Amino acid sequence: QYLLEDGKLVLPEECNKEHADGVEDDYDDFGDVDWNVAQDSEETAKQKSFPEFSAKVRTVLKNFGGQMFCKLNWSSPKDATWIGLNKSLKCSSISQMYLLLKSSDFVTHDLTMPFKFCSDFEVDGDGGEKPKVEYCLVLRKWMDINPGIEYRCFVKNRQLIAISQRDNTTFYDHIQKSEQSIKQDICSFFKEHIQQRFSCDDYVFDVIRTKKDKVILIDFNPFGEVTEALFFSWDELYEWETENDTNSDGDMLEFRYATDSHGVQPNPYHHYSIPS
């Protein structure tokens, strides 16, 4: 309910001490502000409080060494990085976590219409969705990832049909040099660890390849328009024939990436930082 409230972005009371502990340099970006007037304003929205929940999150954050990543069931607040510290999803305080979640349209989508693009989507008489979702906050220990080694993989009818460079805004020359090796490593990882274990027939998963023969699973995503197709389009992925797309060596697997600096695409999240 707090995440869906419209109006001013007001963080919970548990975040007050974090703000008070800041140093003067932390507030340079705010410009000249009369904080006394701002705090005394009658229009200031009432703060909510979630003491038990916030305490649990702080404990997890401490156990993670003071840095964590947050998301809901499906989406992370990656569209809100413009408001995050250093334009990152890294959270080193509960204030940063609440700020990202509260500012994200992706999180709002998860909470209001998560099944909108599902083939069996239905709306009940009250305008709400029939399926009941038990929402959860997913916290993970933060890990710095080189975007040039992350790949998005598309699975249809339990076959790996396509791989895309995850960061489609940058040209990485090492990808072209190691194309076949990257494909082979991801194919082997998929067959050994995912293909016969994941319950869905169609889905998307993200991995990083830190070195040859070393692939690490990052996340799973729905096979559909709510997931970015990157160097593919969902029209072609929906129509993809799977009977002969992949052989034992992955030779028929489609792997797309930027082949030069002219092939990169604009950052799809920049427009979220533009005032409407």
Side-chain angles (χ1 to χ4, degrees):
Q1 184 179 1
Y2 165 72
L3 294 178
L4 292 176
E5 288 179 349
D6 292 328
K8 295 184 176 180
L9 199 165
V10 180
L11 299 181
E13 292 180 7
E14 298 80 54
C15 301
N16 292 349
K17 188 177 186 301
E18 293 179 343
H19 294 169
D21 288 343
V23 296
E24 185 175 351
D25 291 343
D26 293 337
Y27 303 97
D28 285 345
D29 292 340
F30 288 96
D32 296 328
V33 179
D34 189 337
W35 293 101
N36 291 326
V37 173
Q39 291 177 357
D40 295 339
S41 173
E42 293 181 357
E43 297 181 358
T44 300
K46 184 178 179 180
Q47 281 186 295
K48 297 295 178 63
S49 180
F50 315 103
E52 293 184 5
F53 176 77
S54 296
K56 290 181 180 180
V57 173
R58 277 201 175 103
T59 299
V60 173
L61 178 60
K62 182 179 179 180
N63 293 337
F64 284 164
Q67 297 180 341
M68 68 180 182
F69 165 86
C70 66
K71 61 174 290 186
L72 292 191
N73 301 44
W74 296 282
S75 302
S76 67
K78 53 192 173 185
D79 59 313
T81 52
W82 60 273
I83 204 171
L85 184 64
N86 296 323
K87 292 182 171 56
S88 170
L89 290 174
K90 179 168 65 176
C91 299
S92 55
S93 68
I94 63 169
S95 297
Q96 294 167 5
M97 181 198 73
Y98 280 118
L99 187 62
L100 287 169
L101 294 174
K102 182 73 171 169
S103 306
S104 173
D105 289 342
F106 290 2
V107 168
T108 300
H109 175 274
D110 277 11
L111 295 173
T112 57
M113 55 181 79
F115 306 113
K116 180 178 179 180
F117 295 103
C118 294
S119 58
D120 56 351
F121 170 77
E122 294 182 10
V123 178
D124 63 26
D126 296 327
E129 297 179 26
K130 288 184 177 181
K132 300 300 180 182
V133 180
E134 184 176 345
Y135 287 98
C136 62
L137 176 66
V138 179
L139 302 176
R140 296 176 179 170
K141 185 175 182 179
W142 179 264
M143 179 176 64
D144 289 314
I145 295 176
N146 177 358
I149 63 172
E150 187 172 5
Y151 305 94
R152 171 152 291 177
C153 310
F154 302 86
V155 177
K156 186 176 182 182
N157 294 335
R158 294 186 177 273
Q159 292 187 43
L160 181 59
I161 62 172
I163 300 174
S164 173
Q165 171 185 328
R166 181 68 181 85
D167 176 19
N168 59 349
T169 66
T170 308
F171 164 62
Y172 300 99
D173 58 357
H174 72 273
I175 296 181
Q176 189 168 23
K177 296 176 182 177
S178 306
E179 177 182 357
Q180 292 302 320
S181 179
I182 293 171
K183 286 172 59 176
Q184 185 60 56
D185 284 352
I186 293 177
C187 282
S188 298
F189 178 82
F190 169 69
K191 293 173 182 176
E192 292 174 15
H193 302 285
I194 299 178
Q195 188 172 29
Q196 301 302 325
R197 298 184 181 185
F198 199 69
S199 59
C200 297
D201 293 334
D202 306 330
Y203 54 92
V204 179
F205 66 95
D206 295 334
V207 297
I208 56 173
R209 179 181 181 266
T210 57
K211 59 183 179 180
K212 182 171 174 55
D213 298 325
K214 182 65 173 180
V215 177
I216 300 173
L217 177 66
I218 298 297
D219 205 359
F220 287 99
N221 300 281
F223 188 92
E225 297 172 35
V226 294
T227 301
E228 292 176 85
L230 302 174
F231 282 103
F232 295 89
S233 73
W234 278 111
D235 285 340
E236 62 179 323
L237 290 170
Y238 285 143
E239 297 175 0
W240 210 290
E241 297 293 336
T242 60
E243 291 181 355
N244 299 310
D245 283 333
T246 307
N247 62 20
S248 59
D249 298 321
D251 292 339
M252 301 300 293
L253 177 65
E254 182 91 23
F255 181 20
R256 296 183 187 175
Y257 51 88
T259 56
D260 53 50
S261 58
H262 299 291
V264 301
Q265 300 179 12
N267 191 312
Y269 306 126
H270 280 175
H271 73 276
Y272 287 101
S273 61
I274 301 174
S276 57

